[in-house]
Amino acid sequence: RKEVEQDPGPFNVPEGATVAFNCTYSNSASQSFFWYRQDCRKEPKLLMSVYSSGNEDGRFTAQLNRASQYISLLIRDSKLSDSATYLCVVNPNQAGTALIFGKGTTLSVSS
Amino acid sequence: DVKVTQSSRYLVKRTGEKVFLECVQDMDHENMFWYRQDPGLGLRLIYFSYDVKMKEKGDIPEGYSVSREKKERFSLILESASTNQTSMYLCASGPANSPLHFGNGTRLTVT
């Protein structure tokens, strides 16, 4: 099983739609989780951290399900500018290891 | 704002050349990382460093070396560039167990 798995998509949605991405992780000891956004030919940028209680930032909501070992990102009222690749990131919480990045899910929002 | 600066945005080198990619961060972060990103393969970790003069191999260290003589600077070295090292190279830095901040990448072409 891969350490961090995401559906690559693409997810093609119209403006105003609600879209959700899931990401599964294999290491049950993982302690912290993040979503990054990456625009075409640009560097990844932190979108939001994912807390156990879930967190919301405007149109974006992140959830963590430790029992099933997945995190999710929900985007409401999609905008054209939301078109990007969304990377799921897991901190395995092991000495001498680095954050683990998923390969990303591509979202395309059209008018 | 955290600034991670990579010395070159685009580089073209010949097979067999020694290539230096430089990265500097201005936030006194302990941790620095080098990734490469290729279509369909996502971000792959080459090397990382948790402190000055120390280094850890990532998932794909073959053909690369690194140097961290000062806390703010982390260099990636291709001892003898090969065409399969054509890629986007991304440097990142961050405090322990925290999200990473990325530089804007170096697109390296080896001909």
Side-chain angles (χ1 to χ4, degrees), chain A residues 41, chain B residues 6 8-12 21 34-39 41-44 46 60 64 76 78 82-90 105-110:
Chain A
R41 302 181 77 83
Chain B
Q6 293 186 229
S8 304
R9 194 66 195 270
Y10 299 96
L11 270 180
V12 180
L21 302 183
W34 274 106
Y35 292 87
R36 64 178 282 178
Q37 188 173 32
D38 302 285
L41 298 178
L43 281 163
R44 291 184 290 168
I46 304 171
I60 52 163
Y64 303 94
L76 180 70
L78 287 67
S82 62
T83 54
N84 63 12
Q85 293 178 310
T86 291
S87 187
M88 166 73 99
Y89 289 87
L90 289 157
T106 296
R107 193 166 289 278
L108 172 68
T109 301
V110 182

Side-chain angles (χ1 to χ4, degrees), chain A residues 36 38 41 43 91 96-97, chain B residues 37 48 50 97 100 103 107:
Chain A
Y36 276 71
Q38 186 173 23
R41 302 181 77 83
E43 74 275 20
N91 180 359
T97 62
Chain B
Q37 188 173 32
F48 59 105
Y50 286 139
N97 297 317
L100 300 182
R107 193 166 289 278

Side-chain angles (χ1 to χ4, degrees), chain B:
Chain B
D1 256 7
V2 176
K3 196 160 179 66
V4 180
T5 303
Q6 293 186 229
S7 53
S8 304
R9 194 66 195 270
Y10 299 96
L11 270 180
V12 180
K13 296 291 182 181
R14 294 198 178 274
T15 302
E17 278 193 76
K18 191 168 186 176
V19 181
F20 292 87
L21 302 183
E22 306 287 346
C23 176
V24 177
Q25 50 98 359
D26 66 356
M27 285 300 293
D28 202 37
H29 288 157
E30 299 90 351
N31 305 329
M32 296 189 75
F33 304 80
W34 274 106
Y35 292 87
R36 64 178 282 178
Q37 188 173 32
D38 302 285
L41 298 178
L43 281 163
R44 291 184 290 168
L45 181 63
I46 304 171
Y47 267 98
F48 59 105
S49 169
Y50 286 139
D51 202 350
V52 176
K53 295 192 185 296
M54 72 81 61
K55 60 186 178 185
E56 295 277 352
K57 291 181 180 180
D59 300 317
I60 52 163
E62 297 78 18
Y64 303 94
S65 62
V66 290
S67 171
R68 194 165 181 201
E69 296 296 318
K70 293 184 178 181
K71 192 174 186 180
E72 67 271 19
R73 186 180 297 270
F74 193 35
S75 304
L76 180 70
I77 303 150
L78 287 67
E79 295 289 342
S80 177
S82 62
T83 54
N84 63 12
Q85 293 178 310
T86 291
S87 187
M88 166 73 99
Y89 289 87
L90 289 157
C91 174
S93 75
N97 297 317
S98 294
L100 300 182
H101 301 269
F102 284 86
N104 56 12
T106 296
R107 193 166 289 278
L108 172 68
T109 301
V110 182
T111 62

Side-chain angles (χ1 to χ4, degrees), chain A residues 4-68:
Chain A
V4 177
E5 285 198 72
Q6 296 182 250
D7 180 346
F11 285 63
N12 298 304
V13 303
E15 276 186 289
T18 296
V19 62
F21 312 133
N22 283 340
C23 163
T24 58
Y25 61 95
S26 59
N27 185 346
S28 59
S30 300
Q31 289 297 315
S32 50
F33 309 87
F34 312 100
W35 283 102
Y36 276 71
R37 170 197 170 122
Q38 186 173 23
D39 293 298
C40 188
R41 302 181 77 83
K42 296 286 185 72
E43 74 275 20
K45 293 185 178 178
L46 179 67
L47 178 66
M48 57 198 307
S49 300
V50 186
Y51 304 120
S52 297
S53 55
N55 49 306
E56 189 173 312
D57 183 2
R59 298 182 293 108
F60 297 82
T61 301
Q63 298 275 355
L64 167 64
N65 185 318
R66 286 193 184 275
S68 300

Side-chain angles (χ1 to χ4, degrees), chain A residues 63-80:
Chain A
Q63 298 275 355
L64 167 64
N65 185 318
R66 286 193 184 275
S68 300
Q69 293 181 211
Y70 76 83
I71 67 173
S72 63
L73 178 68
L74 180 78
I75 305 175
R76 289 181 299 277
D77 189 22
S78 299
K79 311 290 185 193
L80 294 175

